Every structure is written in C-alpha cells, then in structure tokens.
Amino acid sequence: MSPRQYDKTHMKDHTFRLSILDQSIVRNGKSARDAVAETVQVARLADQLGYYRFWISEHHNNKMIAGSTPEVLMVKLAEVTERIRIGSGGIMLPNHSSLKVAENFRMLEALYPGRIDLGIGRAPGTDRLTAYLLNPSNRFAEEDFENKLNELDAFFTDTAATEHGRILAVPMADTRPQQWLLSSGANASLAGKMGMGLGIPIFISGRIAPEAAETYRNAFMPSDMFDKPEVLLGLFVACAESEEKAELMRKALLITLVSMDMGVLKSMDNYEEIEQYQFSPVELDRIRQVHQNKVVAGTPEQVKARLDELASAYGADEIIATVIAPTLEDKTRSFELIAETYKLHDRISAIAE
C-alpha cells in the first residue's frame, strides 16, 4: 500500500484533544518523593477534569527531575485514575533493550487494557556518559534507532526470531499499547511509514516547522495502532486569571530553562524574587535563540486563542501541555482554567477516539 495524501481542510476550525505531560520536577526544599506525589495528584486531577491522556517523561542524572522510570510510575498512575490514558512521553529507546520495553508495556497493557501509550524518543534524556552507562552497547548511530524500532515492532507483533527460533515478548497481551514517535522533524516520515502517531515536542525544540506534520501525514501507512495519521503537539503552558500572573509564571519557567542549559539548576518559587530577577545578556540571547517559542502564556482566553492557532497551523489532533509553575496551586489552577475554557467535560466524548 502506498502512502496516502490527506485532505488539508482539517487544518481549519478543527477540534482537538487536550492532554497533560508531567516531568516530576523537584521543588525547592522538597524531595523526589514529594515530586512523584505531586505527579500522582495532578494525574488524578487530569482524570477528573476531562483531559484525554497523561504522560510522564524519562530523564537521568538531573536532580531537579524525579521522573527517570516512566514504566514504573505508570503503574501507580493507572491504578489511581479511572478513564484517562496513561503513557510515556517518552521512553528513550536507545537507552533500553527493545525486548524489555516490549515486555514492560505488554505487562502494562495486560493490567490496564486500552489505556496505555508508548511514546518513544530518540534522544537519551541525559548526557552522553549517563546514556552510555544506561546502555553500554549504544553506538549513538543514526541507523540504530530505526533498527530498534523495527525490533520493537517485531516483539509486539510476535514475529521476532533468531536462527534458534522465535523470541516472544511476554505476557501475550490481547491488545497493543498505542505507539507514538516523538520527533523534532527528522523522524517524521519514519513515524508515518510505521503507522505510529507523531508527537512534535515544541517544548523541547521551539523551531519545529509545521512541515514536519505534513511530511508525516504524506508518509503515513495505516496500521493496527492508527488507521489515520495522528499529530500531537507538546507545549509549555502558563495560564492564570491575569496577564501579570501568567507572565510571572512564564518568566519563572524561562529562568529554570536557561539555568538548566548552563548547569546551574535554578528553580524559582518566590514571586517577589521572580519579579526582581534580571536576565543576563547571555541568558536573554539563549531565550531568543532557543526558548522563545516554547511557552504559551496568558489568561484563559489568550491561551485558548494561541493553542487554537497552533493546532490549526500544524493540523494537530491533540495538544499535550506541560506546566512548570512556581507553586503546585498555580500549576493545578492552570490546568483547571484550560479545562474550563475548553469545556472538557462537555467535549471529551465528542473528541475521543
């Protein structure tokens, strides 16, 4: 079957799902246990508010981020929620054995059928040395990633074999987790060719053009996971009742992002200090060059207008929002405001798959 061409009329005035990605950020004066507990609390809230899916990330060797093993935390999240899909955003495949990833996610699918997502990333989610320690056989070669994806697919379809016979990924779950490839654009056609969903992480790279989504759609081949292309857009969001509060939330996030770039790891939780903080010329240049387009900030109406605009530009079927706020209260309120603005309780059945 050859790749399909899809009608671009869906790129105007279309509805889209709303989801959440959480990174288990360790707040000042708090512990990793507190960070994970916050993630669990936000997942429960997301389930109640009507968000479609809740993803968690994989990072290593970063004391500010407690989320290193999404496949473990997902068990807890699925157990304490009822409806929402639970997934990885993502599993950094070069760090792991394809067989072990398949077995982990088949077990999750056996426990929570129809609710599990496997978002897959190519980057290590850490520095190169830590990536090597996670997987000493990692050659950091471009062609290895596609090979590992093909291995993973073989384990999920029970077609993996060696000269000594078949290799089964157990348990043999009746259903398969949804698979999404997280791509800055380079792997967009690969996601389409393999019939996967495409996740475009603007919160990681703010310079990904909408053409990446079109490349994916043009290359898409229907699969047992998706019968049509699905594009998910990942963004940082700061939503508050006032523009001033939202702008301070945005500034706090930018302080954290540029400090992480420079290895200082600043986490801002005091609004007076945030307001008084002066970016250095180096930090301002870093913001302009790298982080400028990653954050959508404003009142609920302003955030909605910008999310609608971006969803239309990319033809996105879904937006997954990450909120890193100075306080847990501001973080949860941000998600509540977005849910209220989009009337998620009213829309969730209409826009679900």
Side-chain angles (χ1 to χ4, degrees):
M1 187 182 297
S2 60
R4 297 182 184 179
Q5 298 292 322
Y6 287 89
D7 186 356
K8 296 182 182 180
T9 57
H10 71 286
M11 297 180 70
K12 293 182 179 180
D13 301 324
H14 70 289
T15 58
F16 53 91
R17 299 181 296 266
L18 280 164
S19 297
I20 293 174
L21 168 68
D22 195 78
Q23 295 180 313
S24 302
I25 300 295
V26 181
R27 299 185 180 278
N28 288 334
K30 299 290 186 178
S31 67
R33 183 174 182 176
D34 294 324
V36 173
E38 180 175 312
T39 297
V40 173
Q41 180 177 338
V42 176
R44 285 195 180 107
L45 178 66
D47 196 32
Q48 296 163 4
L49 291 174
Y51 284 92
Y52 187 69
R53 72 181 89 236
F54 188 90
W55 280 6
I56 48 178
S57 59
E58 176 186 342
H59 291 85
H60 303 279
N61 196 29
N62 186 334
K63 64 182 181 181
M64 271 189 66
I65 303 178
S68 60
T69 54
E71 66 274 28
V72 175
L73 183 53
M74 283 172 63
V75 176
K76 176 68 174 179
L77 299 178
E79 188 65 26
V80 301
T81 55
E82 297 178 359
R83 171 200 55 79
I84 198 167
R85 296 188 67 92
I86 300 294
S88 60
I91 292 293
M92 301 296 107
L93 191 56
N95 294 341
H96 308 288
S97 153
S98 299
L99 173 58
K100 188 58 177 173
V101 171
E103 291 192 328
N104 284 341
F105 278 79
R106 274 195 156 175
M107 178 61 78
L108 285 163
E109 188 68 24
L111 290 169
Y112 308 101
R115 292 182 58 203
I116 299 301
D117 299 329
L118 171 53
I120 300 168
R122 177 180 174 181
T126 187
D127 57 273
R128 195 178 180 98
L129 175 59
T130 305
Y132 169 77
L133 293 173
L134 285 163
N135 179 10
S137 65
N138 188 353
R139 301 187 308 149
F140 302 95
E142 185 174 346
E143 64 270 16
D144 287 352
F145 182 67
E146 184 170 355
N147 291 338
K148 287 181 75 70
L149 279 177
N150 287 325
E151 283 180 358
L152 189 63
D153 185 68
F155 288 126
F156 277 129
T157 56
D158 303 318
T159 58
T162 70
E163 60 183 4
H164 303 292
R166 296 174 66 196
I167 305 293
L168 298 177
V170 295
M172 306 287 285
D174 294 330
T175 55
R176 179 175 178 175
Q178 271 191 9
Q179 286 178 250
W180 295 77
L181 186 58
L182 313 182
S183 173
S184 60
N187 295 320
S189 61
L190 177 59
K193 182 178 71 173
M194 298 190 70
M196 303 170 69
L198 178 68
I200 300 179
I202 290 181
F203 73 97
I204 294 176
S205 177
R207 297 181 177 274
I208 307 172
E211 286 73 20
E214 200 60 27
T215 296
Y216 160 71
R217 279 188 283 266
N218 289 335
F220 185 80
M221 301 280 289
S223 69
D224 60 350
M225 293 176 287
F226 297 99
D227 60 2
K228 61 183 180 64
E230 293 279 342
V231 174
L232 178 152
L233 203 59
L235 295 155
F236 283 121
V237 177
C239 187
E241 280 90 347
S242 70
E243 289 184 54
E244 294 76 16
K245 180 68 170 288
E247 182 53 35
L248 285 175
M249 290 169 64
R250 175 181 178 273
K251 184 178 179 181
L253 173 58
L254 291 173
I255 292 168
T256 298
L257 292 177
V258 295
S259 71
M260 290 176 71
D261 292 342
M262 298 174 184
V264 181
L265 300 178
K266 295 177 186 173
S267 178
M268 304 296 285
D269 56 9
N270 183 297
Y271 277 103
E272 185 176 343
E273 293 179 3
I274 295 166
E275 191 169 11
Q276 295 174 355
Y277 188 90
Q278 297 293 317
F279 289 108
S280 70
V282 172
E283 289 174 327
L284 286 172
D285 184 64
R286 183 70 179 173
I287 290 170
R288 282 190 295 266
Q289 295 295 322
V290 179
H291 302 300
Q292 191 67 43
N293 300 319
K294 294 181 178 181
V295 188
V296 173
T299 63
E301 294 76 17
Q302 291 169 330
V303 166
K304 183 178 186 303
R306 182 58 177 153
L307 294 184
D308 289 351
E309 179 184 6
L310 288 167
S312 178
Y314 286 81
D317 302 281
E318 186 168 342
I319 286 179
I320 190 163
T322 299
V323 175
I324 299 178
T327 68
L328 173 58
E329 292 74 21
D330 290 333
K331 177 179 179 177
T332 55
R333 186 56 183 151
S334 197
F335 288 129
E336 288 169 351
L337 290 170
I338 296 168
E340 290 167 7
T341 302
Y342 278 97
K343 298 180 173 58
L344 291 190
H345 276 301
D346 298 336
R347 296 178 62 222
I348 194 67
S349 60
I351 62 177
E353 293 177 331

